[in-house]
Amino acid sequence: MSLLIQAVGLTKTFPVYEGALSKPSNFVHAVEGVSFEINRKETLGLVGESGCGKTTLGRMVIRLLEPTEGKVLFDGIDLVSLPEKKLRKIRNRFQIIFQDPYSSINPRFTIERIIGEAMLVHKKASSVDIKEKVAFQLERVGLSPDYMKRYPHEFSGGQRQRIGIARALALEPEFIVCDEPVSALDVSIQAQIINLLQDLQNELNLSLLFISHDLNIVGHLSHNVAVMYLGRIVETASSKKLREEPAHPYTQALLSANPIPKPGPKLKRKILHGDVPSPLNPPKGCRFHTRCPEVMDKCRHQAPSSVKISENHWVECHIYD
C-alpha cells in the first residue's frame, strides 16, 4: 500500500479573549503533537469522547482549519505551506462529509446547485452537461435524479446525508474526511450509510478518515484505529488488534463500556472516575493521569512518548516504556 496522507506533529490552539480589544488571556489546547498515516484505499478510524479534538484534527488535515504547528503531506505535497492559489487547484482531490446533515447544506439552494456548483467551479462539468452529472451522483448514492430540483427541507436526515456524500464525491476525490456522518441518524439509516461508504470506497479506491465515538461502527469500517484523548492520540493499531488486545488504560475503559450485541464473554468493566480535564488547562505529564487506574508517579510529571509494542501497534503510556 502506498502512503497518501501523513500528518506530522499537528497542533491547534485557540486564543481566549476576555475583552473586545484585549490580548488573549489563555489558549484552548484542542490538538497537540498528533501524527498519523493513511495509505491509499484504507480507512483510519478516529475515536474518542466528545470534545477531545477529533473534528478539529479532521478539518486541519484538509486545511479547513490552519494548524498552529505541524504539517500535512498529501501525496508528498505539504498542504500547510502551500499558497492559497495552489491549494485551490488541488482541493478537488480531498473532501469532507460534515456531521450535521441539516446545517451543512444551504437551505436556499436546490439539490442540483448544492452538488453541481463545485463541479462548475473546478471545471469538472460544463453548464451543458451539469444536469447529467448531478443525476449520476444522485443515483450513485441511491437517490432519484428527479430530486435535483427540490430543496433540502423536503428530505429526511438520511437523505440529506446522502446528498452530502454525493456533494463530496462530485469532484472525484482521492481522500474524504467523514466527520461523524451517521451520529445524527437512526440506527437503520446508519447501517445504510455505512454500507454505502464501504461500497463507494471499494468502487472508487477512496481513502477515508472516519471520525466517530461509536466503536462498533469504527471497528466494522476501519482498517486501522486511532484513539484520541484530550488532544492527543494515545493508541493506534489495526481494528482487530485494538479490539482484541487494547493496551492503553483509556482504550481498555472505552472497550469495556462498549455494548456488545451478542452473548458471550465480556470484558470486565473499567470505570473511569472524574471528569475530562479542561483543554484550557490540560494536566501536566500524561493527560490521562487524573483518571487513570494505573497511574504512577512519573505520569504526573512526564509526558509519555509513543512506543511500538507490536507490529503496527503504538501506544503513549509509561507502562510500556
Side-chain angles (χ1 to χ4, degrees):
M1 289 288 182
S2 60
L3 187 64
L4 180 64
I5 298 285
Q6 184 180 19
V8 182
L10 282 179
T11 298
K12 183 64 179 180
T13 57
F14 296 97
V16 177
Y17 298 94
E18 290 187 353
L21 300 175
S22 63
K23 293 182 179 180
S25 60
N26 205 342
F27 291 88
V28 175
H29 300 268
V31 176
E32 190 158 332
V34 166
S35 301
F36 60 85
E37 296 179 350
I38 304 175
N39 291 323
R40 293 181 186 276
K41 306 179 187 179
E42 286 192 350
T43 299
L44 174 66
L46 185 62
V47 299
E49 293 169 288
S50 296
C52 70
K54 303 187 299 295
T55 294
T56 300
L57 179 59
R59 294 189 179 199
M60 279 197 293
V61 171
I62 58 174
R63 239 185 96 176
L64 287 183
L65 280 176
E66 295 289 343
T68 306
E69 294 179 14
K71 61 182 179 179
V72 179
L73 298 178
F74 175 80
D75 199 14
I77 303 169
D78 186 1
L79 298 182
V80 176
S81 63
L82 204 63
E84 187 64 35
K85 190 173 181 180
K86 291 184 178 180
L87 178 65
R88 195 177 298 117
K89 290 181 179 179
I90 65 168
R91 273 208 177 276
N92 62 298
R93 298 178 66 187
F94 43 87
Q95 294 292 301
I96 184 169
I97 301 168
F98 293 98
Q99 177 178 356
D100 187 353
Y102 291 89
S103 64
S104 62
I105 296 176
N106 194 322
R108 295 182 178 87
F109 289 179
T110 63
I111 304 309
E112 179 184 346
R113 184 173 177 185
I114 288 168
I115 297 174
E117 188 171 43
M119 288 194 277
L120 292 173
V121 170
H122 286 271
K123 298 180 180 179
K124 293 286 185 179
S126 66
S127 56
V128 176
D129 62 359
I130 187 66
K131 283 184 171 58
E132 180 184 342
K133 295 204 172 185
V134 170
F136 173 74
Q137 295 299 338
L138 286 171
E139 288 180 328
R140 176 180 264 174
V141 298
L143 295 175
S144 170
D146 296 336
Y147 292 167
M148 70 171 68
K149 293 301 181 184
R150 297 186 184 182
Y151 289 86
H153 72 271
E154 300 178 68
F155 297 92
S156 68
Q159 289 174 319
R160 288 183 188 222
Q161 198 60 286
R162 288 174 184 267
I163 292 166
I165 294 171
R167 178 177 59 182
L169 292 172
L171 296 180
E172 302 173 2
E174 300 166 47
F175 172 66
I176 299 179
V177 174
C178 304
D179 185 9
E180 301 201 36
V182 297
S183 63
L185 307 178
D186 294 335
V187 174
S188 59
I189 306 300
Q190 287 184 7
Q192 293 175 19
I193 299 298
I194 292 301
N195 291 334
L196 172 63
L197 287 171
Q198 282 188 308
D199 292 342
L200 289 170
Q201 182 177 34
N202 293 331
E203 177 189 343
L204 305 174
N205 297 325
L206 292 170
S207 299
L208 305 176
L209 173 62
F210 190 88
I211 300 170
S212 180
H213 57 267
D214 190 320
L215 285 165
N216 289 326
I217 291 175
V218 168
H220 175 71
L221 188 65
S222 305
H223 298 86
N224 299 303
V225 180
V227 180
M228 199 166 185
Y229 182 81
L230 203 61
R232 297 280 302 175
I233 287 181
V234 297
E235 185 168 3
T236 306
S238 68
S239 178
K240 182 180 179 181
K241 176 75 75 173
L242 195 83
R243 186 172 59 252
E244 296 177 353
E245 301 175 31
H248 198 282
Y250 178 63
T251 309
Q252 294 168 1
L254 285 181
L255 287 169
S256 73
N258 189 41
I260 301 173
K262 59 182 178 181
K266 294 182 171 66
L267 290 172
K268 183 179 179 181
R269 183 70 190 274
K270 289 195 174 185
I271 306 296
L272 297 180
H273 299 285
D275 297 324
V276 179
S278 171
L280 278 169
N281 187 26
K284 295 180 180 178
C286 174
R287 293 192 170 190
F288 185 59
H289 84 258
T290 58
R291 304 173 71 199
C292 182
E294 311 287 342
V295 64
M296 300 179 285
D297 186 57
K298 69 176 179 179
C299 301
R300 300 181 175 91
H301 312 289
Q302 180 182 341
S305 56
S306 186
V307 178
K308 184 178 182 180
I309 59 175
S310 65
E311 184 65 29
N312 198 31
H313 193 173
W314 299 80
V315 62
E316 282 192 358
C317 184
H318 285 304
I319 294 172
Y320 303 95
D321 284 352

